[in-house]
Amino acid sequence: MIIRLDLESDTPIYTQLVQQIVEGIASGRLQPGEPLPSVRTLAGDLGINLHTVNKAYQLLKQDGYIQIHRQKGVVVQPQGMPDLTPQYLKKLEGDLRPIIAESIARSMKKNKLIELVEKLHAELSVN
Amino acid sequence: MIIRLDLESDTPIYTQLVQQIVEGIASGRLQPGEPLPSVRTLAGDLGINLHTVNKAYQLLKQDGYIQIHRQKGVVVQPQGMPDLTPQYLKKLEGDLRPIIAESIARSMKKNKLIELVEKLHAELSVN
DNA sequence: GCATCTGTTATATTATAACTATAACAAGTA
DNA sequence: TACTTGTTATAGTTATAATATAACAGATGC
């Protein structure tokens, strides 16, 4: 899987890693049970520190996206992606609220916003 | 206008300020031309430093949401909120992408996501 | 057994961001 | 003149992000 980092971005590297791996899972490019590179390998390939990769993996593990076997390595959660927990839904609302508010303040029509969401959804989904 | 800060949040205070003022504008609770408290007054009311408020105001000014008159004070942009510039649309896409990707990875149905967006849109809009 | 690879832990350092604390300045108003 | 405005400057503290090394424990391959 190809990962591209923007080292100039104000989004932390480990966050970019988490986001792109989640994107990979959403799109199906990362299949359940599929192994991910070791922290050292990925860090080496990306030219970053192993701890930065480890932090991303820990967050992904914490949210149930991956499994980490002590000496086997890292694999995408084989069965059952994380659920729509109440905490997640609350977080989702909190993330969306300021974004939607800004679109309204800029006079963006609701249809236009919905269209954008649907376009991104199609881009990111399987198929 | 009532502003409530979460000092425990990992969202910076100045960002919370920006978001809530934009929400106020979106909802119509803050009307064009309406004056905002001085940096010292707002900082005092919220129990934070004047520079934190100033940073929020500078960001809002930079995006065209408010006007700052050197000695008159701060007012909500009297006419013409900021437009749907290409830069903003690009930023909007970048903000939405990881959020939508996560919802897909968690098997959230597209309809469910759209419904949530519409619900928030209704909550945040005027009327 | 031994080297090698895994994630993990520990420690230290650097750089930057966020926030606060004071102080002072320039310009307009009461 | 006194006061308020945003603005600028300087400094200090705290937390986060990222890096650099090193070492450890457990599993695998030869």
Side-chain angles (χ1 to χ4, degrees):
Chain A
M1 180 188 176
I2 302 158
I3 289 183
R4 42 199 160 51
L5 296 179
D6 180 3
L7 302 182
E8 310 300 318
S9 168
D10 54 351
T11 304
I13 297 176
Y14 69 86
T15 302
Q16 295 183 45
L17 276 174
V18 167
Q19 288 176 351
Q20 293 193 33
I21 290 173
V22 170
E23 270 194 39
I25 293 174
S27 71
R29 283 177 296 139
L30 288 180
Q31 290 292 325
E34 184 171 339
L36 291 178
S38 76
V39 288
R40 286 176 179 81
T41 302
L42 187 51
D45 289 352
L46 297 175
I48 60 177
N49 192 272
L50 119 181
H51 292 106
T52 307
V53 176
N54 189 247
K55 178 156 188 178
Y57 279 179
Q58 290 299 326
L59 290 171
L60 287 164
K61 170 189 169 192
Q62 189 177 308
D63 282 343
Y65 288 112
I66 63 176
Q67 280 185 359
I68 302 182
H69 295 92
R70 176 100 190 165
Q71 274 76 23
K72 287 187 202 168
V74 181
V75 298
V76 177
Q77 185 73 26
Q79 69 255 2
M81 276 296 128
D83 249 359
L84 290 182
T85 62
Q87 307 97 292
Y88 165 68
L89 287 174
K90 197 167 178 182
K91 173 182 169 293
L92 177 58
E93 280 206 24
D95 289 345
L96 285 174
R97 175 171 289 106
I99 297 175
I100 296 176
E102 190 173 3
S103 78
I104 296 171
R106 286 189 185 253
S107 315
M108 190 177 193
K109 299 293 179 198
K110 188 175 96 174
N111 289 344
K112 198 96 177 167
L113 176 64
I114 299 288
E115 279 172 23
L116 179 58
V117 171
E118 290 189 322
K119 175 196 144 200
L120 288 170
H121 198 279
E123 280 181 19
L124 293 166
S125 291
V126 189
N127 303 335
Chain B
M1 179 188 177
I2 302 158
I3 289 184
R4 43 198 159 53
L5 297 179
D6 180 3
L7 301 182
E8 309 300 318
S9 167
D10 55 352
T11 303
I13 297 175
Y14 69 85
T15 301
Q16 296 183 44
L17 276 175
V18 167
Q19 288 175 350
Q20 293 193 34
I21 290 173
V22 170
E23 270 194 40
I25 293 174
S27 71
R29 282 176 296 139
L30 287 180
Q31 290 291 326
E34 184 171 338
L36 291 177
S38 76
V39 289
R40 287 177 179 80
T41 302
L42 187 50
D45 288 353
L46 297 174
I48 61 178
N49 192 273
L50 120 181
H51 292 106
T52 307
V53 176
N54 189 246
K55 178 157 188 177
Y57 279 178
Q58 289 300 326
L59 290 171
L60 287 165
K61 171 190 169 191
Q62 187 177 308
D63 283 343
Y65 288 112
I66 62 177
Q67 280 185 358
I68 302 182
H69 294 91
R70 176 100 189 167
Q71 273 76 23
K72 287 187 203 167
V74 181
V75 296
V76 177
Q77 185 72 26
Q79 70 255 2
M81 276 296 129
D83 249 359
L84 291 181
T85 62
Q87 306 98 292
Y88 165 69
L89 287 173
K90 198 167 177 182
K91 173 181 168 295
L92 177 58
E93 280 205 25
D95 288 345
L96 285 174
R97 175 171 289 107
I99 296 175
I100 296 176
E102 190 172 4
S103 78
I104 296 172
R106 287 189 184 252
S107 315
M108 190 176 193
K109 299 294 179 196
K110 189 175 95 174
N111 289 344
K112 198 97 177 168
L113 176 64
I114 298 288
E115 278 173 23
L116 178 58
V117 170
E118 290 189 323
K119 175 196 145 202
L120 288 169
H121 197 280
E123 280 181 19
L124 293 165
S125 290
V126 188
N127 302 336

